[in-house]
Amino acid sequence: MATEDDLKSMLDQSWALEEDLSALLNALPDPITVRHAIVRGMAMTSHSHYHSQRVLLEVGATPTVLALVRLHYESVVRSLWYAVGAPDEWIDRMKLENSEENGEPVMGHSIDAMLKRLGEVAPSHVSASLRALKDASWKPMNSFVHGGIHAILTGLVDAYTPYHWIGVLKNANGLATMNTQALIVSCNDLSFRGRLAGVQQKHLQCLPA
């Protein structure tokens, strides 16, 4: 069974991974296409969700950490879909000038539809990992976001052990690497090819098996 020391070690490793991922994200070139700009905006928002989970975990705001799991997951799926799955026509319509009364320029696809498309255009291990995580945790994620039974129970009983939090952190780390890959793909700069693999190899112990 994992201990508090194990959890602290995983937190430290996760912060180190984020430092390297942030350096890579910041080194990428500025957007030169609409698609690249959309992916960058979504990827940086996703990276903020990723960072916030650890900040909140360290200060004990654990129900909010669990609510952020869904925000982080969906933002990563969207980063990948914007990068390689969204049709050019959809990307062209997703412009601020097409927004009316602060609404969305164009409605996004459902998570299931995006996962289906990623299964067709992304490496098989990416779509399979995203699907497996959704199947395992979608109902609890929804419950925390919408104030269901999981949110109620977590407010009453501290049921999450270091073992559970280590799993949450590893999944978040894995999602963060996928998010970084989406932005690397969208910038289409061959000089960055292989950089993410080096980061992943360096931090294998804090990534999902």
Side-chain angles (χ1 to χ4, degrees):
M1 184 63 68
T3 66
E4 291 291 341
D5 285 342
D6 294 328
L7 176 56
K8 183 182 183 305
S9 175
M10 182 56 61
L11 277 165
D12 290 344
Q13 292 176 60
S14 300
W15 283 117
L17 170 63
E18 188 202 348
E19 183 176 353
D20 285 346
L21 291 177
S22 295
L24 182 50
L25 287 170
N26 291 331
L28 293 170
D30 291 334
I32 57 174
T33 67
V34 174
R35 185 183 295 271
H36 187 186
I38 289 172
V39 176
R40 184 165 187 85
M42 189 74 266
M44 298 313 292
T45 292
S46 178
H47 199 67
S48 178
H49 295 329
Y50 170 55
H51 175 88
S52 297
Q53 288 178 72
R54 271 165 288 117
V55 172
L56 291 168
L57 181 55
E58 289 189 336
V59 300
T62 50
T64 311
V65 175
L66 296 167
L68 273 172
V69 170
R70 175 174 165 178
L71 286 178
H72 187 208
Y73 175 84
E74 287 203 33
S75 65
V76 172
V77 173
R78 291 183 187 279
S79 290
L80 289 163
W81 187 75
Y82 295 157
V84 299
D88 290 339
E89 181 270 339
W90 190 94
I91 291 292
D92 187 59
R93 291 168 60 201
M94 188 62 171
K95 296 178 180 177
L96 292 178
E97 60 264 32
N98 293 332
S99 176
E100 296 181 5
E101 298 181 1
N102 297 319
E104 291 291 330
V106 55
M107 291 300 294
H109 290 53
S110 70
I111 287 294
D112 282 333
M114 286 188 283
L115 289 175
K116 182 176 184 297
R117 177 60 176 159
L118 289 174
E120 298 167 350
V121 298
S124 59
H125 71 275
V126 171
S127 56
S129 296
L130 289 169
R131 175 64 69 181
L133 184 55
K134 178 179 182 293
D135 290 345
S137 59
W138 193 246
K139 289 183 179 179
M141 284 195 286
N142 283 341
S143 183
F144 283 110
V145 170
H146 298 297
I149 191 65
H150 287 274
I152 293 169
L153 291 176
T154 303
L156 294 171
V157 180
D158 186 12
Y160 277 70
T161 67
Y163 170 83
H164 293 110
W165 288 119
I166 287 171
V168 169
L169 288 169
K170 281 191 171 185
N171 284 334
N173 292 338
L175 287 171
T177 63
M178 292 185 190
N179 181 61
T180 304
Q181 184 64 51
L183 189 50
I184 290 173
V185 169
S186 71
C187 77
N188 198 30
D189 187 330
L190 296 181
S191 67
F192 287 92
R193 181 175 293 177
R195 292 273 296 274
L196 180 59
V199 172
Q200 289 172 302
Q201 190 65 33
K202 178 181 176 182
H203 298 282
L204 280 179
Q205 289 187 331
C206 69
L207 293 170

